[in-house]
Amino acid sequence: MTEKTPFVDIRHAQKAYGDLEVLKDINLTVSKGEIVAIIGPSGSGKSTLLRAINDLDPLSSGEVLLEGVQVNKTLPHRQYEKHINEMRQHIGMVFQHFNLFPHLTVRENVTMAPKLLKGLSNAEADQLAEEQLAHVGMSERIDYYPSQLSGGQKQRVAIARALAMKPKLMLFDEATSALDPELVEEVNLVMKKLAEEHMTMIIVTHEMDFAASVCDRVIFMDGGVVVEEGPPSVVFQNPTQERTKNFLRKHLAQYAESSK
Amino acid sequence: MGLDFSVVPSYADALFLGVLWTIAITIVSALLSFFGGILFAVIALYGPWMIRLPFRFFAWLFMGTPLLLQLFLIYFGLVELGIDLPAFVAGVIGLGLHFAVYNSELIQTAILAVDKGQMEAARTLGLSRTQALIRVVIPQAVRDVIPPIGNNMIALLKDSALVSVIGVSELTLSAQLAIGRTYRPFEFYAAAAVLYYIINLGMEAVLRRIERRTQLSR
Ligand SMILES: Nc1ncnc2c1ncn2[C@@H]1O[C@H](COP(=O)(O)OP(=O)(O)OP(=O)(O)O)[C@@H](O)[C@H]1O
Ligand SMILES: [Mg+2]
């Protein structure tokens, strides 16, 4: 296991916006099938790190590798574009605000990229849409527009859209934090199902319960560094760092209050 | 001498033909202005500067000078350069480009207003920037400006009367020809006004339908 190349390998990731250093020399590996939660206070750099993995927010320095292939290669513009578009087909991403394409139906949202990038025929694309939407429990709404769906339904379609590209890795950036509380569970269930299918996932979340029950490893970030990492049982129950304890105290108190 | 509308029916055929030409020039110019507007918007936002700068000048020319002058320039002026366009073609180019520039301004603003998350989501799936623009951003931008573009198309219909001066025998020119024969300007201009109004109603109905059909996709 240890001598194998890691599935995802983040090396010396550093990112600054002007004088503001948002990521400070982050090193992180994720193995195949592993489910990693990234937690931490607002502004700690969680989204920035996640978005660096598919080079949506390019790092200032450092490397991101997927199965040994560098994602953020330095290449002439045209070659880089070709390379990154290819890499991104393997890296699914789910956003806090869904970002479904409102002018397309649910079916078209799911099939647009596979048709365009993999040359699927209409029949193949329809079959793919049916499969993927069944997987997230959205078969019934296949010909609806996003405007006709609830937030939870939108997010499930967004997950199906990402899965339709058959990615090797899925990134979630607070997939449930824009949802009404009663809609969170249906999305969590879909993510749990993916976990059971051994999809490799990196999940930025504020939901400690979910992180504890689904993830193999929890990474606590603060101020652009990884402060503490380990299995949820250790990070949540026996954190060693003061900052982790503070965060968990605040967060769990908040959580306890909001769920009253 | 009082008004006498009884002369109008005998010119019904000529007026009807004028209506057809007006509809034809409006539809063709509207299509040109629509697709031209999208193209110009993309050039203005994403074109290389060697294209963008002359384009700004061209846009300024079309917005800052009278349409009538532009029609004269295209129909009579270009002849000197050896480009002798049929009146209908010159009219369509003039009207189409003039309104394409206005549509382009609307579409540019709309493209910039499309949520950044749309481009991000498309890029994340592996689409190139161009693919994302064509499949995701531009369709939404165009959808968002259908109502104001519709208003431009109504203005285009009314301004199509200007092509009568370069000899396109559309509704206004048909009315003028009838007046030349009968010396009944009020009757024929009034008849033409009613006919324009009816075409206008038809056009508004079509536009409303298009708007309604895009309702769900917001
Ligand atoms: N485009 C940008 N320009 C300047 N600063 C930015 C930009 N994007 C993010 N930042 C800053 O980088 C820091 C980290 O942001 P990031 O979004 O990664 O935090 P986060 O951990 O995801 O927070 P949250 O929990 O609120 O989503 C913040 O201080 C933020 O203000
Ligand atoms: Mg964030």
Side-chain angles (χ1 to χ4, degrees):
Chain A
M1 192 69 207
T2 36
E3 54 274 328
K4 252 179 50 183
T5 37
F7 194 66
V8 181
D9 192 357
I10 300 170
R11 297 180 186 164
H12 303 293
Q14 190 270 342
K15 167 96 182 172
Y17 289 109
D19 286 342
L20 180 69
E21 211 180 355
V22 177
L23 299 177
K24 300 170 187 163
D25 192 30
I26 294 204
N27 292 282
L28 189 67
T29 61
V30 177
S31 44
K32 193 167 168 57
E34 197 181 11
I35 296 150
V36 175
I38 303 179
I39 62 170
S42 185
S44 56
K46 306 181 296 293
S47 298
T48 309
L49 178 63
L50 197 73
R51 293 158 58 88
I53 295 173
N54 61 4
D55 214 27
L56 211 51
D57 282 343
L59 291 173
S60 306
S61 65
E63 296 170 2
V64 176
L65 291 86
L66 177 65
E67 292 185 304
V69 181
Q70 191 176 346
V71 178
N72 59 339
K73 265 188 199 158
T74 315
L75 289 170
H77 180 71
R78 267 172 196 283
Q79 278 162 272
Y80 164 78
E81 282 293 314
K82 196 170 174 299
H83 163 75
I84 196 67
N85 293 337
E86 163 73 23
M87 291 304 291
R88 282 177 180 155
Q89 295 190 25
H90 305 302
I91 308 174
M93 187 168 216
V94 175
F95 302 86
Q96 182 176 359
H97 296 286
F98 330 125
N99 296 352
L100 285 183
F101 306 131
H103 62 301
L104 302 178
T105 63
V106 166
R107 179 199 304 273
E108 292 163 340
N109 265 277
V110 174
T111 58
M112 191 257 277
K115 276 167 95 169
L116 193 62
L117 303 174
K118 297 185 173 174
L120 263 59
S121 70
N122 285 336
E124 288 166 330
D126 278 342
Q127 199 193 338
L128 176 70
E130 281 155 26
E131 273 167 29
Q132 295 302 333
L133 290 166
H135 198 235
V136 299
M138 286 297 298
S139 303
E140 251 94 274
R141 303 284 156 109
I142 191 162
D143 289 314
Y144 283 47
Y145 281 94
S147 65
Q148 298 169 292
L149 305 178
S150 73
Q153 292 173 330
K154 281 183 192 162
Q155 196 58 297
R156 286 189 280 150
V157 173
I159 294 171
R161 174 178 71 179
L163 292 175
M165 287 304 288
K166 307 276 158 85
K168 300 171 178 168
L169 167 68
M170 284 287 286
L171 309 174
F172 294 84
D173 193 356
E174 299 195 28
T176 55
S177 32
L179 298 176
D180 292 336
E182 73 271 19
L183 302 177
V184 168
E185 198 47 33
E186 63 188 73
V187 174
N188 281 346
L189 281 175
V190 169
M191 290 168 69
K192 278 182 188 153
K193 199 161 148 190
L194 285 179
E196 281 155 19
E197 293 160 5
H198 306 293
M199 171 62 82
T200 311
M201 301 198 268
I202 303 177
I203 302 169
V204 171
T205 183
H206 280 145
E207 282 186 83
M208 302 306 143
D209 279 354
F210 180 79
S213 65
V214 176
C215 299
D216 303 313
R217 184 152 48 116
V218 177
I219 290 169
F220 172 68
M221 281 181 72
D222 194 7
V225 297
V226 174
V227 175
E228 184 154 3
E229 67 174 298
S233 55
V234 175
V235 175
F236 287 131
Q237 267 117 52
N238 295 304
T240 57
Q241 303 296 313
E242 210 47 47
R243 282 199 274 178
T244 318
K245 289 179 192 164
N246 276 333
F247 173 78
L248 289 174
R249 223 178 353 255
K250 260 188 237 155
H251 221 86
L252 296 176
Q254 237 176 35
Y255 176 76
E257 228 157 84
S258 69
S259 61
K260 259 179 207 163
Chain B
M1 153 170 133
L3 295 178
D4 177 12
F5 280 93
S6 65
V7 296
V8 174
S10 49
Y11 285 87
D13 283 359
L15 290 176
F16 181 66
L17 211 60
V19 167
L20 291 185
W21 277 110
T22 289
I23 291 174
I25 200 159
T26 302
I27 289 176
V28 180
S29 312
L31 289 174
L32 177 63
S33 79
F34 180 73
F35 292 108
I38 296 173
L39 183 68
F40 292 170
V42 171
I43 290 173
L45 290 177
Y46 307 109
W49 67 268
M50 293 112 80
I51 302 177
R52 227 166 42 224
L53 286 187
F55 173 80
R56 288 284 354 144
F57 173 74
F58 161 84
W60 168 84
L61 199 74
F62 267 87
M63 302 223 291
T65 61
L67 176 56
L68 187 62
L69 190 86
Q70 292 160 21
L71 290 170
F72 283 151
L73 197 69
I74 293 167
Y75 186 59
F76 299 114
L78 289 185
V79 175
E80 283 184 57
L81 305 178
I83 305 170
D84 191 359
L85 297 170
F88 183 83
V89 175
V92 163
I93 292 175
L95 278 170
L97 291 187
H98 184 86
F99 282 92
V101 170
Y102 281 97
N103 287 344
S104 152
E105 300 285 319
L106 292 170
I107 294 167
Q108 281 176 54
T109 313
I111 286 176
L112 296 176
V114 170
D115 179 13
K116 295 280 171 289
Q118 292 291 310
M119 175 60 92
E120 282 186 354
R123 293 306 308 269
T124 301
L125 290 165
L127 272 70
S128 70
R129 198 165 109 103
T130 309
Q131 287 172 326
L133 280 174
I134 293 173
R135 298 294 182 125
V136 174
V137 177
I138 293 171
Q140 291 181 55
V142 170
R143 172 208 68 190
D144 290 342
V145 287
I146 285 174
I149 286 185
N151 293 340
N152 280 354
M153 297 304 94
I154 302 272
L156 187 153
L157 164 66
K158 292 187 278 190
D159 281 353
S160 74
L162 287 173
V163 302
S164 61
V165 299
I166 58 171
V168 179
S169 50
E170 44 65 75
L171 183 51
T172 301
L173 189 58
S174 306
Q176 278 167 343
L177 292 176
I179 293 162
R181 304 250 173 79
T182 59
Y183 303 103
R184 289 279 177 188
F186 188 91
E187 288 85 341
F188 280 100
Y189 283 138
V194 169
L195 291 170
Y196 271 114
Y197 188 67
I198 292 170
I199 300 172
N200 204 333
L201 287 179
M203 214 164 139
E204 277 175 10
V206 172
L207 291 169
R208 262 200 307 277
R209 259 186 91 119
I210 295 173
E211 268 175 54
R212 214 165 336 119
R213 290 190 71 171
T214 61
Q215 206 65 50
L216 276 182
S217 65
R218 302 194 161 265

